[in-house]
Amino acid sequence: MNHIRNFCIIAHIDHGKSTLADRLLERTKTVKVTEGQMLDDMDLERERGITIKSHAIQMDYEMDGETYRLNLIDTPGHVDFAYEVSRSIAACEGCLLLVDSTQGVQAQTISNLYMAIEHNLEIIPVLSKCDMVNSMPEEVEDEIIDLLGCKREEILRASGKTGEGVDEILRAVVERIPAPTGDENASLQALIFDSVFNPFRGIIAYFKIENGCIHKDEDVIFVNTQKSYHADEIGVLKMDLSPRKELKCGDVGYIVSGIKTATEVKVGDTITSVENPCEKAIAGFEEVKPMVFAGVYPIETEDFEQLRASLEKLQLNDASLTFQPESSVALGFGFRCGFLGLLHMEIVQERLDREFNMNVITTVPNVSYNVYDKHGEMMEVHNPAGMPDQTEIDHIEEPYIRASIITRTEYIGNIMTLCLGKRGELVKQEYVSGDRVELYYDMPLAEIVIDFYDKLKSISKGYASFDYHPIGFRPSKLVKLDILLNGEPVDALSTLTHVDNSVYFGRRMCEKLKELLPRQQFDIAIQAAIGAKIIARETVKQVRKDVTAKCYGGDISRKRKLLEKQKRGKKRMKEIGNVQVPQKAFLAVLKLD
């Protein structure tokens, strides 16, 4: 055990984690690096240039004549995948904190750092991208010293591109990060930190052994579900799965036991042996709290069960996804899914399409509200369609977040304007270093769900970094805005919005829908309503045939007779005609500005 080191790499998005991981793999001769970001094995990750899944891999490193086994976990940097980071941190004793020497400390750096400190990890600060022309190592080192309170000589300088400083990092990992603690002779206790579905072998669970050891063909039991399995294969994680006869205390590995049902494996569960079970389970991870809710519906209604199976398999690989069945008048049966943010929602939709061939419609994203009725009873509402009648509601509370924005001083004005427009309240502002400032805002979560991050990036030319955490619920003046097509409400387009924004929002929705709805043989009235009060209206004009074309000359009454006949036909058609709302219309609401 003295020769095992478990560590992860944490940083803000785009600070060079995966590139540095490539150099570490190369230096330890674990794998031949043929292309950039070897650990990002999903097509989506390659296309977007971001890490979506944390990836574990084992490396062997020789130092002073002894061989050390290093278990590395590369983690995502985007705030929407923070749950991946927290699970990786739970499987480690130390971490490399990467800071880009051209950009300095960013919001997500601080957020991930606090997560590591809570788990008592040994932190090794590393300056990345030191080969860049615009790198400012001294200034950024000052920021790290302020943040961590470490000594200047403890900060390592490296470059993922040129491989500079990689040896120093590996040496620091061995010297500074403690070996795993645990009792090899105790009963088996292993923590599941991730799992993946394989169509041929069932579910493969990844775990870290805290105490005891596990052998091939042993009978094991999952504490949470109390189900026992046969360990058909165990092994360690190289670029591919690498089988072993036994794994000991401190090792990170995988188990294949032919589990077919997705619900039987839960991230954070404990594995123990049937013969000599442990007394209590390891304290797992805190339950994930979804931030954004949206309905996901199959385009063909009969694909409902297939969508359920696809979501269960996807949930194995992405534990931060939550879902429950719901139905909608407009879209039939589907699921109300909880995501950690808009990027997370987009990635899940894309993965359903690519990995499971599921074509889905996603409704307007929203957050959950606490609704209090006149009797003082509280109900949680995830969906505007589930709102009780306006006359029964006493007041509504909405979730608030504390946002931390780090930016340059020249963009403060624009950012304050943006936050005030989103009903934000400035809590405090602090200067991090010379021309960089950190702003703290309390804001309603609903306001940042849709396009806040994109706008923030564009007004600050990409120099603002953003992070947030929930701070509870506060009372708010919210109203339910319904969209009616020919007098029929479309529940999938309903939204909850603040009173002050409702009229503007309703008007913009109607204008947008007018552009997107295809013309029919009859007039389509698009109305925005709050309760019984109509606040905006647009009309999509009908497609008409020129019925008077064959009338040449003669009395006007002949033309009028034909037009009246056409009018009666249109009226009958409007009574039986229904309006199909295209998928573009649901997404348009997100891009109203």
Side-chain angles (χ1 to χ4, degrees):
M1 268 174 66
N2 294 337
H3 287 70
I4 298 177
R5 300 287 183 273
N6 299 320
F7 70 102
C8 59
I9 305 181
I10 59 175
H12 189 77
I13 190 166
D14 205 20
H15 276 204
K17 295 177 291 300
S18 303
T19 313
L20 180 67
D22 286 352
R23 299 290 84 74
L24 295 173
L25 295 177
E26 229 169 33
R27 173 64 188 81
T28 54
K29 300 187 177 63
T30 306
V31 65
K32 194 166 186 229
V33 177
T34 48
E35 54 190 331
Q37 282 87 31
M38 287 290 284
L39 293 182
D40 291 351
D41 52 4
M42 242 190 281
D43 293 343
L44 261 177
E45 295 181 313
R46 293 268 161 89
E47 283 166 27
R48 290 171 176 251
I50 56 174
T51 304
I52 293 167
K53 280 290 303 163
S54 57
H55 199 114
I57 189 162
Q58 191 181 92
M59 313 182 290
D60 291 325
Y61 174 59
E62 281 194 22
M63 184 180 120
D64 304 337
E66 297 197 29
T67 305
Y68 291 88
R69 199 181 313 152
L70 311 180
N71 291 310
L72 156 73
I73 303 181
D74 179 30
T75 66
H78 197 283
V79 63
D80 280 14
F81 306 114
Y83 194 57
E84 289 287 325
V85 184
S86 74
R87 299 208 315 272
S88 309
I89 283 175
C92 294
E93 280 82 33
C95 68
L96 297 178
L97 177 73
L98 242 62
V99 181
D100 186 336
S101 61
T102 63
Q103 294 184 24
V105 173
Q106 306 261 292
Q108 202 56 33
T109 316
I110 299 172
S111 163
N112 288 341
L113 169 70
Y114 287 155
M115 228 185 288
I117 290 173
E118 272 170 39
H119 283 80
N120 296 327
L121 296 199
E122 179 62 42
I123 293 155
I124 302 176
V126 180
L127 276 189
S128 66
K129 304 190 185 178
C130 284
D131 59 316
M132 302 277 278
V133 186
N134 57 342
S135 124
M136 324 167 282
E138 277 76 21
E139 292 170 36
V140 179
E141 274 180 3
D142 291 340
E143 288 179 26
I144 295 176
I145 292 166
D146 282 349
L147 185 65
L148 281 176
C150 61
K151 299 192 181 86
R152 192 176 288 274
E153 57 270 16
E154 287 175 10
I155 302 171
L156 306 174
R157 293 189 184 186
S159 160
K161 208 178 204 172
T162 61
E164 169 201 340
V166 170
D167 278 322
E168 287 78 15
I169 290 174
L170 286 166
R171 182 171 280 277
V173 165
V174 173
E175 288 173 355
R176 294 197 215 169
I177 292 177
T181 55
D183 183 1
E184 219 167 277
N185 303 317
S187 48
L188 172 68
Q189 258 189 331
L191 176 73
I192 300 178
F193 65 90
D194 207 352
S195 55
V196 40
F197 182 79
N198 182 312
F200 307 109
R201 314 184 68 183
I203 292 156
I204 302 172
Y206 297 162
F207 59 82
K208 179 199 175 190
I209 302 180
E210 300 278 347
N211 288 306
C213 52
I214 183 170
H215 300 87
K216 186 179 182 314
D217 294 328
E218 189 177 351
D219 287 329
V220 295
I221 192 164
F222 284 23
V223 178
N224 201 346
T225 55
Q226 282 301 312
K227 296 203 172 183
S228 56
Y229 305 99
H230 183 74
D232 300 331
E233 180 181 310
I234 58 168
V236 296
L237 303 157
K238 296 280 192 181
M239 273 316 274
D240 300 311
L241 304 177
S242 172
R244 296 280 187 274
K245 286 275 193 295
E246 75 163 344
L247 292 175
K248 294 186 175 171
C249 181
D251 278 331
V252 172
Y254 70 90
I255 179 169
V256 180
S257 49
I259 306 171
K260 293 285 184 283
T261 319
T263 47
E264 289 178 23
V265 178
K266 200 167 185 300
V267 163
D269 200 354
T270 305
I271 304 175
T272 186
S273 67
V274 171
E275 283 177 20
N276 181 15
C278 60
E279 287 171 16
K280 64 177 198 299
I282 304 166
F285 316 99
E286 56 191 70
E287 279 292 308
V288 60
K289 292 187 190 71
M291 294 285 186
V292 178
F293 295 89
V296 173
Y297 294 86
I299 287 181
E300 301 297 329
T301 324
E302 58 266 24
D303 292 342
F304 174 72
E305 281 305 324
Q306 199 185 333
L307 177 60
R308 183 198 292 274
S310 305
L311 281 168
E312 282 177 357
K313 287 173 188 169
L314 190 58
Q315 194 179 32
L316 279 175
N317 198 243
D318 181 356
S320 49
L321 171 68
T322 59
F323 61 91
Q324 62 198 57
E326 73 163 4
S327 64
S328 147
V329 182
L331 300 169
F333 291 103
F335 293 92
R336 167 98 345 207
C337 297
F339 307 97
L340 294 185
L342 268 199
L343 177 68
H344 185 213
M345 176 175 131
E346 211 177 300
I347 296 289
V348 167
Q349 205 176 338
E350 190 85 1
R351 284 183 72 182
L352 280 171
D353 183 24
R354 292 185 186 203
E355 294 171 28
F356 304 100
N357 228 354
M358 283 303 309
N359 234 338
V360 294
I361 287 180
T362 314
T363 64
V364 182
N366 59 358
V367 299
S368 65
Y369 298 92
N370 289 344
V371 179
Y372 290 85
D373 63 15
K374 296 276 168 65
H375 311 293
E377 296 285 316
M378 191 271 279
M379 65 183 280
E380 203 173 279
V381 175
H382 297 299
N383 186 348
M387 283 282 283
D389 194 68
Q390 198 73 33
T391 52
E392 294 170 16
I393 298 173
D394 182 54
H395 68 280
I396 304 176
E397 290 186 346
E398 63 176 333
Y400 264 71
I401 53 142
R402 170 72 50 90
S404 131
I405 301 167
I406 298 182
T407 183
R408 295 194 172 172
T409 42
E410 67 231 56
Y411 305 118
I412 290 182
N414 292 347
I415 289 172
M416 284 185 163
T417 310
L418 171 69
C419 293
L420 288 172
K422 298 281 185 188
R423 298 191 280 136
E425 300 163 16
L426 181 64
V427 181
K428 63 173 177 179
Q429 93 183 45
E430 292 174 348
Y431 281 84
V432 184
S433 65
D435 64 339
R436 294 177 66 228
V437 66
E438 183 165 12
L439 304 168
Y440 292 95
Y441 270 93
D442 284 356
M443 298 167 79
L445 179 62
E447 294 285 348
I448 68 155
V449 160
I450 292 179
D451 57 357
F452 179 79
Y453 195 62
D454 298 344
K455 284 185 173 171
L456 180 70
K457 281 290 179 203
S458 55
I459 61 175
S460 65
K461 300 192 172 67
Y463 276 111
S465 63
F466 171 68
D467 184 39
Y468 61 86
H469 61 269
I471 53 169
F473 286 77
R474 295 184 187 178
S476 189
K477 282 187 180 169
L478 297 169
V479 287
K480 181 184 172 194
L481 182 74
D482 285 315
I483 298 293
L484 314 175
L485 296 181
N486 284 345
E488 289 292 316
V490 181
D491 56 354
L493 284 172
S494 302
T495 48
L496 278 172
T497 176
H498 196 264
V499 174
D500 301 347
N501 303 343
S502 57
V503 175
Y504 168 76
F505 191 65
R507 197 174 298 137
R508 295 281 294 135
M509 287 266 286
C510 291
E511 286 166 8
K512 197 76 181 171
L513 285 169
K514 184 182 178 182
E515 294 167 21
L516 291 166
L517 289 180
R519 287 171 70 188
Q520 307 278 356
Q521 298 279 334
F522 49 87
D523 276 355
I524 305 173
I526 306 167
Q527 294 166 310
I530 295 172
K533 183 184 173 194
I534 304 292
I535 55 169
R537 172 183 171 130
E538 294 285 340
T539 309
V540 178
K541 283 293 180 197
Q542 59 201 9
V543 182
R544 296 181 71 142
K545 179 182 173 187
D546 187 3
V547 287
T548 58
K550 60 179 181 281
C551 284
Y552 48 93
D555 190 43
I556 185 70
S557 58
R558 289 180 60 196
K559 288 189 178 182
R560 192 167 293 140
K561 186 179 163 190
L562 286 168
L563 287 170
E564 284 298 322
K565 188 178 168 190
Q566 183 189 36
K567 195 172 171 184
R568 285 198 302 277
K570 294 283 183 197
K571 192 175 173 185
R572 264 205 318 277
M573 206 182 279
K574 184 171 181 174
E575 282 163 14
I576 57 162
N578 66 342
V579 185
Q580 288 292 328
V581 184
Q583 162 76 2
K584 278 189 302 197
F586 295 113
L587 298 177
V589 186
L590 310 187
K591 303 185 171 68
L592 270 186
D593 295 332

